[in-house]
Each structure stands twice: as C-alpha cells, then as structure tokens.
Amino acid sequence: GLGKTMISWRLMQILDSNDKYDVSLLVFLHNTAKVGWFISKLAAQLEVPENEDKDLLFNAVLQKMMKLTKAGRKVVILIDEATMLNKEICEEIRGMLNVTFDNRKVMTVVLFGVPGLDEVLQADPPLLQRIETRVVLKPMQTANAAARYIEHRLRVAGRESRLFTDDAYRAIQDSCKGNPRLVNIVCANALMEGFLIRKVSLDGDIVNRVVAELGYNTRIRQLFLSA
C-alpha cells in the first residue's frame, strides 16, 4: 500500500514519452511461468514475430535490441509484482542483462515488489549481484506528512478550503501508521460519513468512528501493518 504500482505506471508514462526509450510494463501474476515467458513478452514488446523455436526467437530478440541500441534507444522492462518471479525467469532475465553491444548494455530491468522480493533475489545470487540501485518505499512518518498528502489529493479533486481538522489528521496517522492505501480508505469513508451527517469539517471523532467500523483497531489491523 505504499505506491509501488503507481510509481511503475508513472515511470512507464515518463519513459514512453521519450524517444530514447522502448519501454513496457509487465505484471507477473503467478510464480508458475515456464522458461521462455520473459523472452516471449520481450519479443511482443519489440514487435518480433513469435516463434516456437526459442533459440530462434532469442536470436531475433537480440538482433532487434542491438538494432535499437545502435539507433541510440534503450530497452527498458518494468516488472511489477516481481516477488512472484521464479528461478527460471530470474535466469532468463539475468541472461538478457549480460548482453552488450558496442560496450553498452542493451536492456535495463526495473523490478517492483513487496519486501519478499529480497528473498527472491537472494535465491539467485548472480542476479542479485547485478542490482545497481535499490529503493525502499516507507510509510509517512508524521501526522503532518499525512496531512500534506491528503490536502494534495483534495486539491487535485477540486477542494480549495480545508476539510479535515488537526485532530482528524492525528487520528488518521495513528490508525494508518502512514500507509497511503489505508489513509485513502479511511479518508474515503470519513468523507462519506461526513456527507451523511452533514458535517462541514471532519474531526477526529468521525475518523475514529470510521476506523472502528473498518476494524483497523483490531488484531487484524496489527497483523496487516506488521506484514
């Protein structure tokens, strides 16, 4: 709930608007994909005709990537839910990352995943060694940070004046521990509750009532936040 998928989509939009990159976003939905999955997806991105002979397909993909590199373009693969990657797919990715043309890497891979991604990469040390940059998203640390986040979203939605009180922001931070997804859910329910009872501003009592109804003050909430 910290925004990795949102960032992956935004990154794809930014890179796709630049002629220097040939970018695609892959979402890994299960860990049972077989050898050839990554090459097939890469071929589809590069508009390389599918071929049942994986060796011929691999060579065709390499030729297309080298052609793009020669033209000054970089292939970028974004993989969301990378925690689901299995050993076979990791080996495929590692093999493609080894390819160079004119002393330049022909492909960059960006992996997005929950903390379990570390364990997936540790199971393939050669791939782990190729990770050049690691970014960890963290929850918002203070009620003030949560307030800025909420007020930004309200402005984008068209709200100019202040809607939540200071004690509401404190209650939101206390219940959600800075997790943006939980903040969104609590705020959406608080907005609905305020609408139903015709409140001009939303205070801590409304937030606490919503949190109790959602069950975020139960053991289930604690387990979710710990995970």
Side-chain angles (χ1 to χ4, degrees), residues 129-180:
Q129 292 172 3
R130 287 166 173 76
I131 302 297
E132 297 180 359
T133 303
R134 182 175 182 270
V135 178
V136 178
L137 301 178
K138 296 182 179 180
M140 293 172 283
Q141 300 298 308
T142 65
N144 186 45
R148 294 199 306 271
Y149 169 74
I150 295 167
E151 289 172 0
H152 168 73
R153 291 196 54 142
L154 289 173
R155 283 195 301 272
V156 171
R159 176 78 181 193
E160 297 296 335
S161 58
R162 190 173 184 183
L163 188 57
F164 289 89
T165 64
D166 289 340
D167 64 321
Y169 286 135
R170 287 191 291 269
I172 291 169
Q173 178 65 16
D174 182 61
S175 60
C176 300
K177 308 302 182 187
N179 183 298

Side-chain angles (χ1 to χ4, degrees), residues 21-37:
Y21 301 102
D22 192 306
V23 59
S24 69
L25 174 62
L26 308 180
V27 180
F28 208 85
L29 299 177
H30 54 82
N31 60 0
T32 58
K34 298 180 180 179
V35 174
W37 178 89

Side-chain angles (χ1 to χ4, degrees), residues 169-220:
Y169 286 135
R170 287 191 291 269
I172 291 169
Q173 178 65 16
D174 182 61
S175 60
C176 300
K177 308 302 182 187
N179 183 298
R181 178 180 293 157
L182 296 184
V183 170
N184 295 345
I185 294 172
V186 168
C187 287
N189 280 270
L191 288 167
M192 178 59 72
E193 183 73 14
F195 170 76
L196 294 174
I197 62 177
R198 300 180 181 276
K199 291 281 287 186
V200 176
S201 63
L202 305 177
D203 56 23
D205 290 339
I206 290 179
V207 171
N208 288 327
R209 185 188 313 167
V210 166
V211 169
E213 291 173 351
L214 289 171
Y216 286 179
N217 58 348
T218 65
R219 181 170 176 271
I220 294 177

Side-chain angles (χ1 to χ4, degrees), residues 8-42:
S8 69
W9 279 97
R10 181 60 182 142
L11 182 58
M12 182 182 71
Q13 291 174 341
I14 293 171
L15 295 178
D16 196 42
S17 65
N18 191 323
D19 291 338
K20 293 182 179 180
Y21 301 102
D22 192 306
V23 59
S24 69
L25 174 62
L26 308 180
V27 180
F28 208 85
L29 299 177
H30 54 82
N31 60 0
T32 58
K34 298 180 180 179
V35 174
W37 178 89
F38 183 71
I39 296 298
S40 296
K41 295 295 184 182
L42 189 54

Side-chain angles (χ1 to χ4, degrees), residues 34-183:
K34 298 180 180 179
V35 174
W37 178 89
F38 183 71
I39 296 298
S40 296
K41 295 295 184 182
L42 189 54
Q45 172 192 340
L46 301 176
E47 299 181 345
V48 173
E50 184 63 61
N51 193 320
E52 293 184 1
D53 188 319
K54 296 304 178 184
D55 289 335
L56 292 178
L57 181 62
F58 178 78
N59 289 330
V61 167
L62 287 185
Q63 291 299 319
K64 183 62 177 287
M65 293 174 69
M66 291 178 180
K67 183 178 179 180
L68 288 170
T69 302
K70 188 175 181 179
R73 302 189 68 189
K74 185 67 173 286
V75 176
V76 180
I77 308 295
L78 313 176
I79 302 180
D80 196 8
E81 302 300 343
T83 314
M84 304 296 288
L85 293 174
N86 55 38
K87 185 174 179 58
E88 288 77 12
I89 304 303
C90 285
E91 290 177 350
E92 274 194 280
I93 294 173
R94 172 161 46 87
M96 294 303 298
L97 288 174
N98 286 335
V99 178
T100 60
F101 177 74
D102 195 21
N103 293 322
R104 289 180 291 173
K105 296 288 186 181
V106 299
M107 181 180 72
T108 294
V109 175
V110 184
L111 305 177
F112 297 84
V114 296
L117 179 57
D118 287 334
E119 297 180 10
V120 173
L121 295 175
Q122 287 169 7
D124 192 323
L127 179 58
L128 179 61
Q129 292 172 3
R130 287 166 173 76
I131 302 297
E132 297 180 359
T133 303
R134 182 175 182 270
V135 178
V136 178
L137 301 178
K138 296 182 179 180
M140 293 172 283
Q141 300 298 308
T142 65
N144 186 45
R148 294 199 306 271
Y149 169 74
I150 295 167
E151 289 172 0
H152 168 73
R153 291 196 54 142
L154 289 173
R155 283 195 301 272
V156 171
R159 176 78 181 193
E160 297 296 335
S161 58
R162 190 173 184 183
L163 188 57
F164 289 89
T165 64
D166 289 340
D167 64 321
Y169 286 135
R170 287 191 291 269
I172 291 169
Q173 178 65 16
D174 182 61
S175 60
C176 300
K177 308 302 182 187
N179 183 298
R181 178 180 293 157
L182 296 184
V183 170

